[in-house]
Amino acid sequence: MNADKQLRKLTTMVVLSILPGLAVAGVIVPKAGSGHQVPAIQGGSAASGPGVNDAQTWRKIVAAPPSAKMSFRTRVDAEKSLTQAFAAGKLNDLPPIAGSDGTILYPYGGSWPTVVASPLHISIIELQAGCHPEQLDIGAPSEWILHQAMAGDTPILTVSPRFAGLHTNLMITATSQSGKPLIYYVNLVSDHSKYTPKVGFYYPQDIQSTWHLQTANAQAAKAKADAETIATLPNINAADLDFRWKTHCAGGGWFSDSACGNIRPVRIFDDGTHTYIQMPSGQASRGGMPTIMAENSAGQPAIINWQYRDHYFIVDSVPHQILLLAGKGSAGKVVKITHR
């Protein structure tokens, strides 16, 4: 019996001398003070190069995130503001966006994201909504627990280390909803207690492409509206328009309508303040631009102010009678416009 006890004791000592930690519920837990270093958390930086955050930066982000809670609106506003500043040359690099719920958003294609994970905890990596994941590769598959899932149309990956002190990387290939290839390259480190609950991405190139498309659509819509618009007039109320105007030829060769047809207006109306005289399109090449004169209710000549814009004579008053004059002598043409 004593021999059996001594044998079991010896076996236990051998196992403990081999394993760095104890096996608890299938997870290897390092012994306290084992000296494992986590590059992204302890002593120095995880990696060097553009877009890689040092240990101090990540310690602050993980341990003390911003106090303002990030909503969908503030996230979108932050993405747009940062992308706009970067496009304008005000930023050399696009920074991550952090929220009080522990979410950290990296600019896709502009940085090397770092996920700090911890045993017995799950960190989430969120991919682009609508994309289709294809392949997943990790540097140390036996040391990490990975699961793929869907949240609506958004693919997510759950990450959990088997023990602290790990450092590896992860690559995920996917195809976006529009058919573009996506490659996510993520740095993974593990700590005893600290971890990043959720890492996602924002997409500056997509934001800029959306802006360009919106600008092109706006320009196309404006061009279409310009092509469909005969004239743009001051703001007027259609209910105030008075179309009770008539025209007839009052001079020229045969004193007939046909004698002044090439300077005869298409339409006349007023709004109580201005009189609008619409001339045919291409009037300058058809019959030349007539001169405007006016008569008051006593038949006396009246001086009027007017301007010509978008095929319209716009008179700054509502005279009793308006004359359009072109040519002189027997070849002269006169159109008399009278309010009924």
Side-chain angles (χ1 to χ4, degrees):
M1 182 66 70
N2 291 336
D4 290 341
K5 288 183 179 180
Q6 292 179 355
L7 180 60
R8 285 196 298 271
K9 184 176 181 181
L10 178 61
T11 302
T12 301
M13 292 176 61
V14 171
V15 171
L16 292 177
S17 66
I18 296 175
L19 295 178
L22 298 176
V24 180
V27 178
I28 304 298
V29 182
K31 292 185 291 184
S34 58
H36 287 292
Q37 292 293 309
V38 182
I41 294 296
Q42 303 176 17
S45 61
S48 61
V52 180
N53 297 278
D54 58 22
Q56 184 178 4
T57 300
W58 276 105
R59 190 192 307 276
K60 291 180 179 179
I61 291 177
V62 174
S67 59
K69 185 170 180 59
M70 181 175 65
S71 66
F72 176 79
R73 181 173 181 178
T74 55
R75 166 180 171 174
V76 171
D77 290 343
E79 291 175 5
K80 288 182 178 180
S81 298
L82 290 172
T83 301
Q84 188 174 19
F86 181 72
K90 297 179 180 179
L91 292 176
N92 293 326
D93 297 298
L94 285 167
I97 302 172
S100 64
D101 58 354
T103 301
I104 300 175
L105 298 174
Y106 283 92
Y108 174 82
S111 63
W112 183 8
T114 298
V115 175
V116 181
S118 179
L120 303 180
H121 293 85
I122 291 176
S123 296
I124 297 174
I125 301 175
E126 180 181 297
L127 309 186
Q128 187 179 42
C131 77
H132 301 282
E134 296 171 358
Q135 185 173 341
L136 186 154
D137 287 317
I138 186 170
S142 62
E143 298 174 341
W144 295 81
I145 303 171
L146 306 176
H147 292 291
Q148 298 184 58
M150 294 293 296
D153 65 343
T154 303
I156 63 173
L157 179 69
T158 63
V159 178
S160 181
R162 294 189 180 276
F163 51 90
L166 300 177
H167 185 184
T168 187
N169 49 32
L170 169 70
M171 181 195 72
I172 308 168
T173 61
T175 302
S176 71
Q177 198 168 22
S178 61
K180 295 180 180 180
L182 297 172
I183 301 177
Y184 297 91
Y185 193 74
V186 181
N187 186 44
L188 299 178
V189 295
S190 63
D191 182 61
H192 291 280
S193 57
K194 295 179 181 178
Y195 68 101
T196 308
K198 184 179 178 182
V199 166
F201 299 85
Y202 64 102
Y203 300 83
Q205 291 184 349
D206 289 354
I207 295 173
Q208 290 181 318
S209 296
T210 299
W211 288 345
H212 295 326
L213 181 61
Q214 290 173 345
T215 301
N217 289 341
Q219 292 174 345
K222 184 179 184 302
K224 182 179 179 182
D226 291 342
E228 295 174 346
T229 302
I230 297 175
T232 55
L233 301 174
N235 293 328
I236 55 179
N237 189 345
D240 296 333
L241 300 183
D242 185 356
F243 290 88
R244 294 177 300 167
W245 292 82
K246 63 179 180 178
T247 63
H248 69 277
C249 287
W254 296 96
F255 295 93
S256 63
D257 289 348
S258 61
C260 60
N262 59 355
I263 64 167
R264 192 162 191 167
V266 175
R267 185 178 294 107
I268 305 100
F269 57 92
D270 71 85
D271 61 0
T273 304
H274 298 83
T275 304
Y276 304 91
I277 304 171
Q278 181 183 356
M279 302 302 292
S281 178
Q283 177 62 41
S285 60
R286 284 169 49 90
M289 298 300 294
T291 300
I292 297 182
M293 295 182 63
E295 292 181 358
N296 58 25
S297 57
Q300 298 173 335
I303 298 175
I304 57 174
N305 293 322
W306 59 271
Q307 59 178 310
Y308 187 78
R309 187 170 68 191
D310 296 330
H311 312 308
Y312 277 83
F313 284 108
I314 304 176
V315 180
D316 293 341
S317 60
V318 185
H320 175 72
Q321 187 169 266
I322 301 173
L323 300 177
L324 301 182
L325 309 174
K328 61 181 179 177
S330 61
K333 301 177 177 64
V334 179
V335 176
K336 182 177 286 188
I337 305 171
T338 308
H339 191 264
R340 297 175 185 176

